[in-house]
Amino acid sequence: MNKTGELKIAVSGSPGTGKTTLVKALAERLDLAIIEEDLAPLASADQALRQIAAAPHTARHEVLAAKKRLVEGFIAWTRQRTALYSRHGRFVADRWEADVVDWWLVRFGMGNHHVDGTTMALLRDLQKKSTKLDFVVAMPPLTSPFSTSANEDGTPRNNGFTSRALHDLLTGGLVRQLTR
């Protein structure tokens, strides 16, 4: 732990594993500020891209514009988190950049070489932020991988077992690889 009395914790894991519940308990018990996950704008941009891409007769420039908005959303989220991390000396973060990089890799990782620069920037940002955290809590996978409920923001959770397993593996790997 750092020597200034500040305590910085991030909680990471698949949807529905109890991250928000743990964050609230840690914040109350340790008198920490909560940094909310605030992923609703990203989820909306991702959903918009999926709808535009799936629509018949969609012009290529419309799909590219929707992809650009989603990429910009990922970058904006990481910048917002940087500002929040700087603003709070003691905090617990609901979600961590590993969760968002996981989402990014699943969404853009296969055969999308046009985003490799952004992927590297997101990974560098994740690694840099990991050096400033005292703890990263990686939630265990769900014992029951099927959940149809929405999260606290109203965003639907992914309820497919294979998708959840992939996210657990990717996020867990990122947490282990990029933290001290």
Side-chain angles (χ1 to χ4, degrees), residues 37-49:
E37 72 175 22
D38 196 26
L39 289 174
L42 270 179
S44 294
D46 191 39
Q47 183 63 27
L49 172 57

Side-chain angles (χ1 to χ4, degrees), residues 13-19 95 142 147 151 156-158 164 167-168:
S14 290
T17 55
K19 288 179 304 302
R95 289 232 176 257
L142 286 175
S147 171
N151 72 7
R157 291 186 169 123
N158 186 337
R164 287 218 176 170
H167 287 289
D168 286 336

Side-chain angles (χ1 to χ4, degrees), residues 35-154:
I35 297 178
E36 304 288 341
E37 72 175 22
D38 196 26
L39 289 174
L42 270 179
S44 294
D46 191 39
Q47 183 63 27
L49 172 57
R50 289 176 190 273
Q51 288 174 344
I52 289 169
H57 312 297
T58 302
R60 179 171 161 71
H61 74 277
E62 291 178 69
V63 174
L64 291 175
K67 279 184 182 179
K68 182 179 179 191
R69 285 190 295 276
L70 182 56
V71 168
E72 289 168 352
F74 275 97
I75 294 167
W77 188 88
T78 59
R79 286 186 181 146
Q80 175 189 10
R81 293 295 274 226
T82 300
L84 289 169
Y85 285 9
S86 296
R87 189 174 310 140
H88 297 287
R90 296 174 51 83
F91 66 81
V92 58
D94 190 355
R95 289 232 176 257
W96 185 46
E97 279 71 2
D99 298 294
V100 174
V101 171
D102 163 352
W103 185 3
W104 172 269
L105 292 172
V106 169
R107 191 71 175 99
F108 291 110
M110 301 299 289
N112 286 292
H113 302 293
H114 63 281
V115 295
D116 283 351
T118 305
T119 302
M120 288 305 300
L122 290 170
L123 287 169
R124 280 192 300 272
D125 179 69
L126 170 63
Q127 192 164 29
K128 180 180 175 184
K129 286 176 181 165
S130 76
T131 65
K132 296 179 179 157
L133 294 171
D134 295 301
F135 298 97
V136 175
V137 178
M139 298 297 285
L142 286 175
T143 55
S144 172
F146 301 101
S147 171
T148 58
S149 64
N151 72 7
E152 57 281 349
D153 290 334

